[in-house]
Amino acid sequence: MAASPSTARAINDRNALRLLQQEGPLTARQLKQLTGLSRPTVADLVERLTAAGLITVVGEAGEQRRGPNAKVYGIVADRAHLAALDVRTEGVAVVVSDLVGAVLAEAWAPIAVDAGTGPAVERAVTLVERTVKEAGADRLHTVGIGAPGLIDPASGELRVSKGLPEWHRLLVATLQERLPAARVSLENETNLAALAEQREGTARGRDTFVLLWLGHGTGAAVILNGSLRRGASGGTGEIGFLPVPGTAGLPSAADCGGGFHSLAAAAAIAELAGEYGVVAEPDTEPVAAGAVRAAAARAREEPASADARFLDALADRVAVGVAAVAALLDPGCVVLGGEIGQAGGTELAARVQDRTARMSPLSTEVRASLLGGGAVLRGALLTARDRAQDELFGPPAAL
């Protein structure tokens, strides 16, 4: 059955807006070529979207061209403003952008472990409000938040966790109270990092892969056939609790000591670096990431050095997690994410891939993160932008 004229217009408008999101500003001629629509149809939709305040003329194509065909159209960037938060145990990072994702302001504030729940929440919320003001945003349309820990799939709230500060759980509700017009959403930090790596990082073009997070803690995000898998209780990817023979003991429901976390989290890696005498430049980045970055750089020059042996030992540990992931999911690709995964680069990734191949019959490519620790904030911003654009542009029309 043929679509009605109104449905056809909705489909055409939606397609044009998506192209402008993905490709950036375009001329009417380019829209015609990309959509396959006739010139009159494209002219009508451009007029319609301009009148609705969704797109506007942002320039002209070519120095010599003038007239209607030379006009370049883009999404009205200041129609909505967005914020993204990366909530860590030791602080919070905030970025504010316009509707097309251009960063207008960003900030970071440390939060002491002993700050107290109320003061910690107030410090984080005040940082958001100050950054919004600095960006010149009248109000926020959408706020995306990435945080460690399990998120209840039914309520969308962080579950109580012994190892995480209480202020993490209260932050979302407080932000919603202080920013009543904003849509506030919460997602696990590793899941957001995986989405960012898929959209803009080392996993571009892959619809199935696993991101193994190596930072202050360990975690994993699973994307299968293009879909993020959260699990029945929101716990997919809690690889820190994977039991590892030969460690101090078995993990418990409240403590991942004895699990993969005790091998590959930042504290364990820093201790391992010390055993090999590997040091990093002081105060440049977290100790573990700095040691791994320095070792990777020196190992390229001296393959038989203590730095190279440290990377080998670290790869032995990381490969335990990668091989477990390969055996259960066969993703074909594992991304070493977080600050440590990025710091290790191809030197660490190649070593982990080699060791995984010895332990598993399943072919598994291991790649280093391109976005590192910044992937969480980027993923939060991308999801906030998607949600805002979906709401402002309307849901995809269907025949």
Side-chain angles (χ1 to χ4, degrees):
M1 184 174 66
S4 67
S6 61
T7 300
R9 284 194 296 270
I11 294 172
N12 292 341
D13 290 356
R14 182 69 172 178
N15 286 341
L17 287 166
R18 282 298 180 196
L19 285 168
L20 289 167
Q21 288 173 247
Q22 296 165 3
E23 306 294 334
L26 298 167
T27 64
R29 184 190 300 274
Q30 289 170 323
L31 281 171
K32 175 181 178 297
Q33 293 171 341
L34 291 169
T35 60
L37 299 172
S38 67
R39 183 178 298 175
T41 300
V42 170
D44 287 344
L45 75 83
V46 166
E47 182 178 353
R48 212 164 38 243
L49 295 175
T50 301
L54 295 175
I55 68 173
T56 188
V57 176
V58 295
E60 289 191 345
E63 295 181 0
Q64 305 301 321
R65 300 180 60 190
R66 294 292 184 269
N69 289 335
K71 292 181 179 179
V72 177
Y73 296 91
I75 291 172
V76 177
D78 61 0
R79 185 178 175 89
H81 291 97
L82 320 168
L85 280 71
D86 179 3
V87 179
R88 302 288 183 100
T89 303
E90 69 276 12
V92 59
V94 181
V95 62
V96 177
S97 83
D98 61 22
L99 186 57
V100 298
V103 174
L104 305 176
E106 53 190 327
W108 156 264
I111 297 178
V113 176
D114 58 354
T117 300
V121 170
E122 182 61 30
R123 181 168 173 77
V125 174
T126 300
L127 180 71
V128 174
E129 293 173 334
R130 186 169 67 245
T131 310
V132 170
K133 184 177 180 180
E134 181 183 338
D138 295 332
R139 67 173 189 171
L140 293 176
H141 183 282
T142 306
V143 180
I145 303 172
L150 296 179
I151 297 174
D152 190 311
S155 66
E157 298 178 351
L158 270 174
R159 292 170 54 181
V160 176
S161 175
K162 178 182 177 182
L164 296 174
E166 178 66 16
W167 66 266
H168 284 192
R169 297 185 63 249
L170 299 180
L171 176 59
V172 177
T174 306
L175 275 172
Q176 191 66 82
E177 290 175 5
R178 299 268 280 268
L179 303 169
R183 292 81 170 156
V184 179
S185 62
L186 176 68
E187 180 59 89
N188 172 268
E189 59 175 359
T190 311
N191 288 344
L192 290 176
L195 293 173
E197 291 286 357
Q198 185 185 39
R199 294 269 290 271
E200 300 180 346
T202 195
R204 289 186 69 174
R206 295 202 64 97
D207 66 354
T208 295
F209 71 98
V210 170
L211 181 135
L212 181 60
W213 182 267
L214 302 172
H216 179 75
T218 59
V222 178
I223 293 184
L224 298 178
N225 299 322
S227 298
L228 177 67
R229 306 295 182 175
R230 295 181 175 84
S233 61
T236 294
E238 285 296 317
I239 198 169
F241 287 87
L242 176 73
V244 179
T247 54
L250 291 174
S252 69
D255 185 2
C256 51
F260 181 67
H261 175 94
S262 65
L263 288 183
I269 294 174
E271 182 178 348
L272 182 67
E275 292 175 10
Y276 283 86
V278 174
V279 295
E281 295 182 16
D283 302 325
T284 55
E285 56 186 325
V287 173
V292 171
R293 190 182 306 280
R298 292 191 289 254
R300 285 191 289 270
E301 303 297 329
E302 301 178 58
S305 65
D307 297 284
R309 294 196 300 275
F310 161 63
L311 283 186
D312 288 338
L314 176 56
D316 289 339
R317 295 183 174 196
V318 175
V320 171
V322 174
V325 164
L328 288 173
L329 300 173
D330 186 20
C333 177
V334 173
V335 175
L336 303 184
E339 296 91 346
I340 293 168
Q342 183 185 44
T346 56
E347 290 292 319
L348 178 60
R351 284 169 164 81
V352 174
Q353 181 171 313
D354 177 66
R355 285 155 176 77
T356 303
R358 299 177 200 168
M359 290 189 282
S360 172
L362 305 173
S363 178
T364 306
E365 181 184 5
V366 179
R367 299 180 181 179
S369 166
L370 293 180
L371 304 176
V376 177
L377 199 57
R378 189 61 192 163
L381 187 59
L382 287 169
T383 54
R385 189 179 74 182
D386 288 347
R387 181 177 179 183
Q389 289 179 344
D390 284 345
E391 183 170 324
L392 293 170
F393 300 161
L399 292 173

